[in-house]
Amino acid sequence: MPTEELLLPETTVTASCGAECAIETYEEVYRKPATLVDVNMHYCPGCAHSLIHKLIMEVVEDMDIQEKTIGIAPVGCSVFAYDYMDIDMQEAAHGRAAAVATGVKRLMPDKYVFTYQGDGDLAAIGIGETIHAVNRGENILIVFVNNAVYGMTSGQMAPTTLNGMKTTTSPNGRSAELTGLPIKVAELMAQLGGAYFVTRQTISSPNAVRRTKKALLQAFQYQTLKKGTCFIEILSNCPSNWKMTPIESMKFIDEEMAKTFPLGDIKVPVTINTKTEGGIQ
Amino acid sequence: MEAKLMKGNEALAEAAIQAGCDAYFGYPITPQSEVLEYLAVEMPKHNRIVMQAESEVASINMVYGAAGAGFRAMTSSSSPGISLMAEGISYLAGAELPCLLVNVNRAGPGLGTIQPGQGDYFQATKGGGHGDYRMIVLAPASVQEMADHVFLGFDLADKYCNPVMILSDGAIGQMMEKVVFQPYIHNKVDKPWATVGKPASRNRNFITSLHIRPEDMEVQNQKLLDKYNLMRKQEVRYEEFQTEDAEYLFVAYGLSSRICQKAVDLAREKGIKVGLFRPISLFPFPYQRLEVLASQVKLMLSVELNTGQMVEDVQLAVKGKVPVEFYGRLGGMIPTPEEVLLHLEKLMQ
C-alpha cells in the first residue's frame, strides 16, 4: 500500500464562525487510490466488492497504467463497477465479459484489459465465453469474484454454491443429486492451454488481502508478456444473502468455502532458468 | 472501373476490407460462411483482425468490445445465428455503438432450411432483441449492392452511432454476378466516447446501456427515439421500375424484387401496366412514397419469401386507399416470374 509523508506547512484557517483554527499535520499511512472515484458505493455493509475494486485500482495506480487500462463490468452486484473505477470501462451483457474483452484486447493489444465478474455471470451464463477466451489465451486478466450466490437478484443458487448450502432457490440446501457439485472454476481454467497464471485467493484477512493484491499485480504485469490469460478467483462474501454478520461471513469463507475451493496458485508461469541450462524453476 | 465476377457473400467481404473494417468476428453458418472464409484469408494481409468465435453470442459481443473501443467492426450470420445475436444487438443499440451486421436470410423457423428466405423481415425491422430499439436495415438485391451496402452501412453506423443491418438472403449471397468496387474514401469520424484508456485530460468513458433510474432511462429512450425519427426523415431509400404509368404495383425487396422485375417485363409484353416498387431501406420504410403511389395504382401486391411480413408495412403506408394483396412462397421455395404474374392476373379479375 502506498504511503507517503505529507509535509503540509503549519497553517491556520478561519472557520465559518470566525474562529481561527490550526490545521494539524499528519503522516499519511493510508488513502484510497486516486484511481478510485470518491463516491459512496452501493454495496451492502460488509460486502467485499468495494475492497476488491480498491485492490485492482491500487494496482492500476501503482503501475501508473490508468491511461492504458480498460475494464469490463459484468451483470450482477458489480454492474456499477464503472461508477467507482476511474478508468475507461465497458458494461457487458450478462456473462459476455470475456467476449467483450476479447474484442477490446484484439484491437488494442498493448492496452491492459480485465474483466470483473461474479459467479453467476462467469460460471453459469458466461462459462462458455470464459472457457473459450482462456483457451485462446487472450492476453487479458479475468477477476472472478466467487461468493457462492447470486447477490444482486437476492440470493439464488449459483454454480459455485456449496453442497448443502441453503439459498432462496435451494431452500433445503443444494443437492448434488439434483444440481451437481459446485464448479471449481479456477481448476477448470487451469486445464486450458491458454491459461498462463491461475490462482485462487480471498479477502478474509489482512494477509489474504495482501496476497490477493500481489496476485493482481503479477497478473497485470504478465499482460505485457502476451503469453496468455491470467485468471484470479477471489473467494468473497455476501453477508446480506448469507444472512451473516460481516465477521461471520469472513469466517465462513475460511472455514467452509476454502474446503471446497482450496486457496493458492493453481497454474503459475513456467520460466526457463538459463543458468542451469534449461532447468525448470 | 474493372468489373469482377463474384459471389454475393465474397463481394460483401471484399467491400468490408475496402471500407476499412478493422475487425470481423463470425461463426460458420450456411449460407454465409464464405464471408468468414474470405476474410480469414484477406484480413491478415491488411493487418486487420478476423476471428472465428465460439458462437454467434460471442461474436456479437466481440463486435461490441471492438466497436466500444472505437473501431470499425462487423459480423455476419444467417437466421438462426441472428437469433442468438439478438441479445447483443439490443445491447449495441442501447449503448449506441456503430457496427455493421449482416443477415443472409434462410428459411425458418427453427433450424428451417439453408435455402433463401425473407422470414426475418420482422426480426430485422421491428427489433429482434428486447427493448425498444431500431436499426437501419438495408436490403441488397444484387451482388453489386452486397458490396455497395457495406460502404453505405458503415458510414450510416458512424453517422448515427447505431448498428446497421444488411438483410440479404441465401440467393443474393450465393449468386455470382458482376460487381464494380467504386473507390471509397473512409472519412473517419471522431469517437471521443471510445474506451481506449483514460488520459488525465478527460473524464473516464464508459460504454453502457444501463440507466437504472427511470428518469434517466426515459431521457435515454427519448434520445434514441429522436435519433430513429431522424433516420426516418433522412435515410429512406427505394427504387422504382416502370411505375410512371403503372396501374398495378409489385412491392418487393431483395431476391423477390428481382423476380418481380422479370414479371413486370412479362406483364408489359402482354400490355398490362405493371410497375415495381423496391424498398432498399426496410427501416426506415418508404411509407410516404408508397402512399403517393396508392393514389395512382389500382392494386398493390407484396411479394415475399415468407408468410406475409412486409405486406403489413405496405398496408400501413397506403392507409386503405388501395387494396394490398400478398403472395409468398415458403420454406426456401422461390416463385417464377410467370407464377407471380399469374397471381396478379387472378387478382385483377
Side-chain angles (χ1 to χ4, degrees), chain A residues 29-45:
Chain A
V29 294
Y30 172 81
R31 64 178 169 82
K32 278 199 214 176
T35 44
L36 205 58
V37 180
D38 192 17
V39 292
N40 290 335
M41 292 188 179
H42 72 284
Y43 297 116
C44 302

Side-chain angles (χ1 to χ4, degrees), chain A:
Chain A
M1 230 151 282
T3 59
E4 61 185 72
E5 203 177 339
L6 283 184
L7 296 171
L8 291 174
E10 274 204 26
T11 184
T12 58
V13 293
T14 308
S16 54
C17 61
E20 287 223 325
C21 310
I23 289 182
E24 294 181 46
T25 58
Y26 294 96
E27 180 190 353
E28 188 189 70
V29 294
Y30 172 81
R31 64 178 169 82
K32 278 199 214 176
T35 44
L36 205 58
V37 180
D38 192 17
V39 292
N40 290 335
M41 292 188 179
H42 72 284
Y43 297 116
C44 302
C47 168
H49 268 309
S50 50
L51 171 58
I52 301 168
H53 284 11
K54 190 194 69 174
L55 294 180
I56 297 171
M57 287 302 102
E58 278 179 356
V59 169
V60 169
E61 183 178 63
D62 293 353
M63 290 177 65
D64 194 19
I65 55 170
Q66 187 181 22
E67 280 193 44
K68 296 180 185 168
T69 304
I70 294 100
I72 314 296
V75 170
C77 286
S78 45
V79 70
F80 290 115
Y82 54 77
D83 279 344
Y84 311 130
M85 299 184 186
D86 195 16
I87 52 169
D88 281 2
M89 290 195 80
Q90 293 195 18
E91 168 59 43
H94 196 27
R96 318 298 177 215
V100 173
T102 299
V104 174
K105 184 75 180 195
R106 289 281 177 132
L107 273 300
M108 300 189 294
D110 296 325
K111 300 286 167 84
Y112 296 85
V113 178
F114 73 92
T115 74
Y116 186 103
Q117 300 173 261
D119 41 81
D121 190 84
L122 184 144
I125 197 165
I127 193 80
E129 284 78 7
T130 308
I131 286 176
H132 284 279
V134 176
N135 193 54
R136 288 190 301 264
E138 298 295 339
N139 292 303
I140 58 173
L141 162 63
I142 297 174
V143 179
F144 170 46
V145 180
N146 176 6
N147 63 5
V149 76
Y150 281 76
M152 187 173 71
T153 48
S154 67
Q156 294 82 10
M157 183 179 64
T160 51
T161 295
L162 304 182
N163 194 25
M165 188 173 173
K166 285 185 181 178
T167 70
T168 58
T169 50
S170 57
N172 299 317
R174 180 176 184 168
S175 152
E177 195 184 334
L178 294 175
T179 56
L181 291 166
I183 301 180
K184 298 181 183 185
V185 181
E187 285 82 349
L188 187 62
M189 295 303 152
Q191 300 302 311
L192 303 169
Y196 185 64
F197 172 48
V198 180
T199 187
R200 182 182 288 119
Q201 302 293 334
T202 184
I203 41 63
S204 58
S205 68
N207 271 344
V209 169
R210 275 191 281 272
R211 281 194 291 270
T212 298
K213 184 177 170 189
K214 188 181 163 203
L216 287 165
L217 181 66
Q218 279 176 326
F220 269 94
Q221 288 168 340
Y222 287 150
Q223 273 201 46
T224 56
L225 304 177
K226 299 181 182 172
K227 290 199 168 175
T229 311
C230 293
F231 188 94
I232 301 181
E233 177 171 341
I234 302 173
L235 300 186
S236 190
N237 64 345
C238 186
S240 296
N241 289 305
W242 291 359
K243 303 190 180 2
M244 293 179 192
T245 66
I247 291 171
E248 285 168 353
S249 72
M250 293 300 179
K251 280 186 187 154
F252 185 80
I253 292 174
D254 289 338
E255 292 169 10
E256 298 299 329
M257 279 188 86
K259 280 186 205 162
T260 299
F261 304 113
L263 296 168
D265 293 343
I266 297 163
K267 187 172 189 180
V268 292
V270 176
T271 52
I272 306 297
N273 186 342
T274 48
K275 283 179 188 169
T276 54
E277 295 184 357
I280 304 294
Q281 259 184 348

